[in-house]
Amino acid sequence: MSTKRKLSADLEVEPYEHPSGGWGSVRSLARSLARDHVPFTGPRVLLRQNKPDGFMCVSCAWAKPADPRVFEFCENGAKATTWEITHKRVTPEFFADKPLAELEAWDDHHLEAAGRLTHPMRWDAARDKYVPVGWEEAFREIGRELKALQPDSVVFYTSGRASLEASFMYGLFARAYGTNNLPDSSNMCHETTSVALPESIGVPVGTCTLDDFSKTDCIFFFGQNVGTSSPRMLHELQEASRRGVPIVTFNPLRERGLEEFVNPQAPGEMLMGSPTRITSQYHQVKTGGDTAAIIGIAKVLLALDEKAGPSDPVIDWNFIREHTHGWDEFAAAVKDCEWVEIERRSGLTRNALEAAATVYAHAKSVMFIYGMGLTQHERGVETVQTMVNLALMRGNIGRPGAGICPVRGHSNVQGQRTVGITEKPDMVPKDKIRELFGINVPAQKGTTTVEACEKIIDGSVRAVVLLGGNLVRSVPDHRRVEPAWRRLRLTVNILTKLNRTALVHGEISYILPCLGRIEIDEQESGRQAVSMEDSTGCMHGSWGQVRPASSDLPSEPRIIAELAKAAAPTRSTIPWDAWVADYSRIRDAIAATYPDIFHDFNARLWKPGGFHRPLGARERRWNTKTGKANFITPDSLATDIDMRPEDRDIVQLITLRSNGQFNTTIYNYDDRFRGIHGSRYVVLMHPNDIDRFALKEGSVVTLATAANDGVKREVGGLRVVAYNIPEGCIAGYYPECNPLLPLWHHEKKAKTPAAKSIPVRVRADVRAA
Ligand SMILES: Nc1nc2c(c(=O)[nH]1)N[C@H]1C(S)=C(S)[C@@H](COP(=O)(O)OP(=O)(O)OC[C@H]3O[C@@H](n4cnc5c(=O)[nH]c(N)nc54)[C@H](O)[C@@H]3O)O[C@H]1N2
Ligand SMILES: Nc1nc2c(c(=O)[nH]1)N[C@H]1C(S)=C(S)[C@@H](COP(=O)(O)OP(=O)(O)OC[C@H]3O[C@@H](n4cnc5c(=O)[nH]c(N)nc54)[C@H](O)[C@@H]3O)O[C@H]1N2
Ligand SMILES: [Mo]
């Protein structure tokens, strides 16, 4: 598997043996600047990225330090920036000669690469084209249509990029209109965290800040691909590793970013080519094997503690007594688990887990970092809670250098939840909202993203308004959702770039283009800033830097205000126009609604490093039902109950992101760190599985979901790539593999689609062979 292989006309595979970062990042950035025709403005704009007086990156949500580096951005953040400030435009002329039937044949990359949308467009059924429409006319018709619909039949989706200001307004608009149907990308992502952590430790978000990285003794790292998904965190990991902090990683794939890193911004490191080792112990756990692995570690800790005796305990008994609830039950369950079962489920040996436990037992302050590898499973909530149990066993919450660190996805996905984007009415301060804005928050729970799809399929949802996102690509079960989407009465796409969701339109369909965050936002009172919350619960202000893609582009707050005025004119006392004229008024309203978190919002907005939201668990105040931190015992070691490990023909498909994509935005067809170039239609397999299924590397296969619900789910034309991945697990790319993911295969409590373990069968594709 070590050499360069050409597997088809477009697919080339060559293992990437360099560290992450380094010259590869610099070359990749240069290509992005050239592709999007931003040779001059690009580098200048990049200097303002993630700076207190600049703009907050539109890529991931990783924390922004108070004393930023000269270049406080990564290769992928730079790609996201150049993608947004591209000089290419999708104007009415672009659509004039392209019926949608033709555009539907374009792939995700080419649709977005066409450039920035500049004009509001309405689908014309007679010509099957999008045609230009005036803004006023668009708002009037959308308002009329929404008024004619039952509020509960309308879904208001948000992709996690919209600012705190826009999101707050959007939530109020939907509730004034009459529904809590406010799903967001978090429903496919860290909703598992939002359900797990409140039950365990009484907070909905992680407890770690950047400061903890400089104080920690040890990092446990589960299921997150830092080199691609949040590369700026590599700086913190590099510094920790250099201090000798052990980093223990659990991931089925050996991700390069978790192995080695060269800081592309450090001239010395670049010239000397001296990488820093990141992970000290790499455990290639089977997909869905984390609960078992963690229980194994807990079992070793119990044994070590017994051996050490009361004079030198391994378990923090004082903490457990004073601060926790549920220990006895958990300890008994751990003792009951058999090693054979732990090894079988995790795919790891007892020796390996003993090694991990030994490192843990010797560390004073440990951080637990995790991503989609834990959240996107049927029992992801249990896995996260079991990981929290491990932290609690040694009092690793509520002191410096320790804590829980979920790595959030979209740049403001965490903040959207904080300011009321949620389908759960109990999560918003209803009395305040009535008193301040004259809105009666509907009592009925709204839909999650998965529930919205179910209701689109059964016809009870009639309209979808999207504030960003590309839902027909990002959700499960494409072949069921797409045809249902076409039966919707109304689809409204508030977007910066064209995507497939805008093409798969309803009876009436609009594209409403908007400003991106990197662009200067001028309103009546002058230039406006917006704000967001990062993965560590810090709020940051952000100023647009470049001229808008078109003089005609309204901001997201302006579009939301116009929709609200058109669809729910009498249902609130909100002075929508005054808010849009000066966003500091929106921030005042946020502060009045959520004073604990946002008091003096405007005054604190520019604090370097952001201002932190208060989190009880950081001070060991536990806002849970028991008033303590809870040990919650998992029901099972299996994180995916639909799995049938006894059937050896069924393998578990992990759907992954490449280094050349941001969710459904496909920048290019390369996954540099995994050494895959030219095609996304691949399936990564262990050589023994390739043999077992009588295939060869380069064979073309079809994957078929192993489900007994009578629905045929297949994706063909995938080329087999021999890869270092546990036997029985295979991997392919999201969103290409989403037709395989059944809508019902989701986290049981949180409803996060279980995208990291789809049971599939593999068969050789005879046609293409
Ligand atoms: N460049 C780039 N950056 C991004 C994004 C992007 O698409 N591109 N998306 C953004 C968004 S919205 C999000 S949510 C984040 C996502 O960022 P991540 O959390 O990194 O998500 P994924 O890339 O889907 O994969 C997660 C990792 O989990 C591993 N994994 C799979 N199954 C298991 C398992 O059962 N156990 C364990 N321990 N590991 C497992 C995979 O091998 C992979 O390394 O990134 C954000 N940042
Ligand atoms: N199989 C599988 N499925 C998954 C996942 C997985 O790992 N595996 N991951 C899931 C996760 S974690 C997530 S977060 C979802 C993401 O799913 P979505 O929320 O659908 O997100 P994106 O693909 O990021 O949305 C891209 C679109 O957003 C628009 N956009 C970009 N910037 C802006 C802006 O500033 N304003 C507005 N209004 N629009 C903008 C662009 O037009 C672009 O086409 O996918 C989920 N789906
Ligand atoms: Mo996400």
Side-chain angles (χ1 to χ4, degrees), residues 58 84 112 117 157-162 185-186 188-190 372 376 410 466-471 473-475 494-499 514-517 556 655-657 662-665 734-735 737-738 741 755-756 758:
V58 295
E84 180 167 312
E112 285 209 29
L117 292 157
Y157 176 80
T158 336
S159 186
R161 193 173 284 193
S185 58
S186 183
M188 296 186 268
C189 186
H190 267 293
M372 298 299 99
Q376 293 179 332
H410 261 297
L466 294 171
L467 184 62
N470 184 9
L471 269 197
R473 297 295 289 157
S474 55
V475 298
I494 306 166
L495 297 175
T496 49
K497 292 213 166 178
L498 185 57
N499 63 34
C514 64
L515 286 178
R517 188 190 303 153
E556 289 177 331
T655 55
L656 291 169
R657 309 170 145 73
F662 190 90
N663 298 337
T664 68
T665 297
Y734 138 66
C737 288
N738 283 39
L741 177 54
K756 294 294 184 267
I758 311 172

Side-chain angles (χ1 to χ4, degrees), residues 51-98:
K51 298 293 169 59
D53 56 347
F55 71 97
M56 291 302 135
C57 184
V58 295
S59 191
C60 82
W62 187 240
K64 286 86 187 168
D67 46 351
R69 303 162 186 92
V70 179
F71 304 100
E72 188 57 45
F73 61 87
C74 68
E75 172 194 341
N76 282 332
K79 272 186 219 156
T81 300
T82 59
W83 197 251
E84 180 167 312
I85 65 173
T86 176
H87 284 197
K88 298 181 194 163
R89 298 287 177 269
V90 171
T91 60
E93 292 72 53
F94 170 91
F95 289 102
D97 60 351
K98 295 181 192 69

Side-chain angles (χ1 to χ4, degrees), residues 59-60 76 189 222-226 228-230 250-253 255 285-290 371-374 376-377 407-410 654-659 661-663 674 734 756:
S59 191
C60 82
N76 282 332
C189 186
F222 294 90
Q224 205 269 345
N225 184 14
V226 61
T228 285
S229 302
S230 55
F250 293 82
N251 196 311
L253 305 185
E255 306 284 23
V285 64
K286 268 196 210 165
T287 187
D290 300 272
M372 298 299 99
L374 293 200
Q376 293 179 332
H377 288 287
V407 188
R408 306 299 297 236
H410 261 297
I654 305 172
T655 55
L656 291 169
R657 309 170 145 73
S658 79
N659 187 54
Q661 79 182 89
F662 190 90
N663 298 337
R674 298 198 186 105
Y734 138 66
K756 294 294 184 267

Side-chain angles (χ1 to χ4, degrees), residues 566-700:
T570 58
R571 308 260 191 86
S572 79
T573 56
I574 295 172
W576 295 105
D577 288 332
W579 280 15
V580 175
D582 181 352
Y583 296 178
S584 68
R585 294 181 187 135
I586 313 174
R587 286 188 287 275
D588 283 337
I590 295 175
T593 314
Y594 303 96
D596 290 351
I597 301 176
F598 290 104
H599 66 87
D600 306 304
F601 194 1
N602 281 302
R604 294 194 294 160
L605 186 58
W606 302 106
K607 182 174 183 283
F611 68 85
H612 206 277
R613 61 189 280 174
L615 286 172
R618 283 184 65 78
E619 276 88 49
R620 297 193 167 175
R621 283 183 288 103
W622 314 104
N623 187 19
T624 59
K625 276 192 194 134
T626 59
K628 304 261 181 180
N630 291 312
F631 280 96
I632 299 172
T633 305
D635 280 343
S636 150
L637 292 189
T639 59
D640 296 277
I641 41 206
D642 291 344
M643 306 283 103
R644 277 168 281 160
E646 65 287 353
D647 186 340
R648 291 249 304 149
D649 284 347
I650 299 177
V651 287
Q652 309 309 327
L653 170 70
I654 305 172
T655 55
L656 291 169
R657 309 170 145 73
S658 79
N659 187 54
Q661 79 182 89
F662 190 90
N663 298 337
T664 68
T665 297
I666 310 299
Y667 301 125
N668 56 52
Y669 304 108
D670 294 330
D671 195 359
R672 192 155 49 85
F673 297 147
R674 298 198 186 105
I676 295 166
H677 301 275
S679 172
R680 298 174 51 84
Y681 280 86
V682 295
V683 48
L684 314 185
M685 267 193 203
H686 191 283
N688 291 352
D689 281 333
I690 298 181
D691 290 346
R692 184 158 74 90
F693 292 123
L695 300 166
K696 289 200 177 65
E697 184 172 54
S699 300
V700 180

Side-chain angles (χ1 to χ4, degrees), residues 465-482:
V465 180
L466 294 171
L467 184 62
N470 184 9
L471 269 197
V472 304
R473 297 295 289 157
S474 55
V475 298
D477 246 344
H478 286 172
R479 305 235 169 87
R480 293 176 66 217
V481 174
E482 263 204 34

